[in-house]
Amino acid sequence: MSNYVTTKDGTRIFYKDWGPRDGQPILFSHGWPLSADAWDAQMVYFANQGFRTIAHDRRSHGRSDQVWDNNNMDQYADDLADLIAALDLSDIILVGHSTGGGEVTRYIGRHGTSRVARLALIGAVPPLMLKTEANPGGLPIDVFDGIRKGTFDNRSQFFRDLTIPFYGYNRDGAVISEGIVQEFWRQGMMGGLKGQLDSIRAFSESDFHADLAKVDVPTLVLHGDDDQIVPIGAAALSTVKIVTDAVLIVYEGADHGLTQTHQDRFNADLLDFING
């Protein structure tokens, strides 16, 4: 079950819609440079638990239209609002990983929580990834310039190389899954180069402090303490200081791609939070 919704600016957004239509909806938002396919295992697991599971390809990613302009966090959030309105979803559990965590947070900042029951931020970029005078724990701009250069110069090789720190494959005892590497590469190469380059700025320089302050629903903040892509200090540990009564779960030694490398544990913890 998959389809497209057309946003207010005419962009076609691809989405999957699995599970019973009368189930409580869980809307999954993927990380950079991936697609809705990154959530397939979670979508099947939670659909089998009776939930309606939905995941979309962000504009210029996956099967959605590759657009030249408006690849920014505000537009990502508005696209999400158009999808939610088109499907007339309510009582939603929003789940965002990495860049997707920024997307769902900005959605709340711009559109409120009238349709939202719960929020889960997984290895998420809020409140701000970039190191600034006010955010000394962030990453320097050189890091993101390097991501831009690697993506522009040889995107195919860069995406393969990125899987090594993404999944913690450079740590002692780690066993590389060639299947996961290839699937990451496949999803990344489906997207458009221009939009993916723009998205680097969106996930690294967007400031979500004001958006997080508007979160007034039960919130799960889950992060690996060995996340080499979105370090936990300027992310999850800062987010829980802003969101009132957020639940923090830290996976000791876990990587950025923990929804796959710790799939069973993650699914169980997310289900516990939803049922909480």
Side-chain angles (χ1 to χ4, degrees):
M1 296 292 293
S2 59
N3 214 325
Y4 286 86
V5 62
T6 301
T7 66
K8 290 184 177 67
D9 73 349
T11 302
R12 293 187 317 146
I13 300 295
F14 173 89
Y15 69 93
K16 302 178 180 185
D17 190 352
W18 297 355
R21 290 298 173 273
D22 60 350
Q24 184 179 12
I26 307 178
L27 202 163
F28 295 96
S29 182
H30 65 81
W32 182 93
L34 303 173
S35 73
D37 296 352
W39 291 110
D40 277 0
Q42 281 74 39
M43 290 184 68
V44 170
Y45 175 83
F46 284 96
N48 284 334
Q49 302 290 328
F51 293 92
R52 179 180 181 181
T53 60
I54 300 151
H56 68 296
D57 292 354
R58 191 167 298 120
R59 63 171 51 211
S60 298
H61 294 66
R63 289 139 294 203
S64 292
D65 284 351
Q66 297 182 12
V67 298
W68 189 258
D69 297 312
N70 296 327
N71 296 292
N72 58 68
M73 199 59 68
D74 284 354
Q75 187 63 61
Y76 297 159
D78 291 350
D79 291 347
L80 197 62
D82 286 343
L83 174 62
I84 288 169
L87 298 180
D88 194 23
L89 303 177
S90 59
D91 199 29
I92 309 165
I93 299 145
L94 287 177
V95 182
H97 174 246
S98 195
T99 299
E103 181 178 68
V104 296
T105 300
R106 181 57 54 85
Y107 167 83
I108 288 177
R110 289 173 69 83
H111 301 278
T113 56
S114 62
R115 292 178 178 265
V116 180
R118 290 175 181 266
L119 172 68
L121 301 175
I122 316 302
V125 298
L128 175 61
M129 283 198 74
L130 182 67
K131 181 178 182 178
T132 64
E133 196 170 309
N135 189 49
L139 296 172
I141 191 67
D142 290 353
V143 171
F144 304 110
D145 288 342
I147 296 172
R148 272 183 279 268
K149 180 172 173 54
T151 302
F152 182 79
D153 287 351
N154 188 346
R155 181 171 62 141
S156 180
Q157 187 61 52
F158 182 76
F159 286 169
R160 287 187 61 86
D161 294 344
L162 183 59
T163 61
I164 303 305
F166 195 99
Y167 295 106
Y169 289 152
N170 53 351
R171 298 313 197 204
D172 289 344
V175 178
I176 296 175
S177 167
E178 188 58 31
I180 286 179
V181 171
Q182 291 180 9
E183 178 61 10
F184 185 101
W185 177 89
R186 180 191 70 82
Q187 291 184 42
M189 294 304 293
M190 289 170 65
L193 177 60
K194 172 61 162 59
Q196 289 176 343
L197 289 169
D198 291 349
S199 189
I200 296 167
R201 181 175 184 179
F203 73 65
S204 65
E205 298 184 33
S206 295
D207 188 329
F208 299 97
H209 284 85
D211 306 293
L212 289 170
K214 295 180 180 180
V215 175
D216 58 359
V217 294
T219 301
L220 170 66
V221 180
L222 192 152
H223 218 104
D225 69 1
D226 193 32
D227 189 324
Q228 300 171 68
I229 306 300
V230 181
I232 190 172
L237 300 186
S238 297
T239 290
V240 296
K241 296 176 182 177
I242 302 170
V243 179
T244 305
D245 296 328
V247 175
L248 174 65
I249 298 180
V250 177
Y251 284 12
E252 184 177 354
D255 52 275
H256 189 58
L258 56 79
T259 58
Q260 290 174 281
T261 57
H262 297 70
Q263 180 174 291
D264 291 345
R265 179 183 177 187
F266 169 70
N267 290 350
D269 283 342
L270 182 57
L271 182 62
D272 284 347
F273 167 70
I274 291 171
N275 290 333

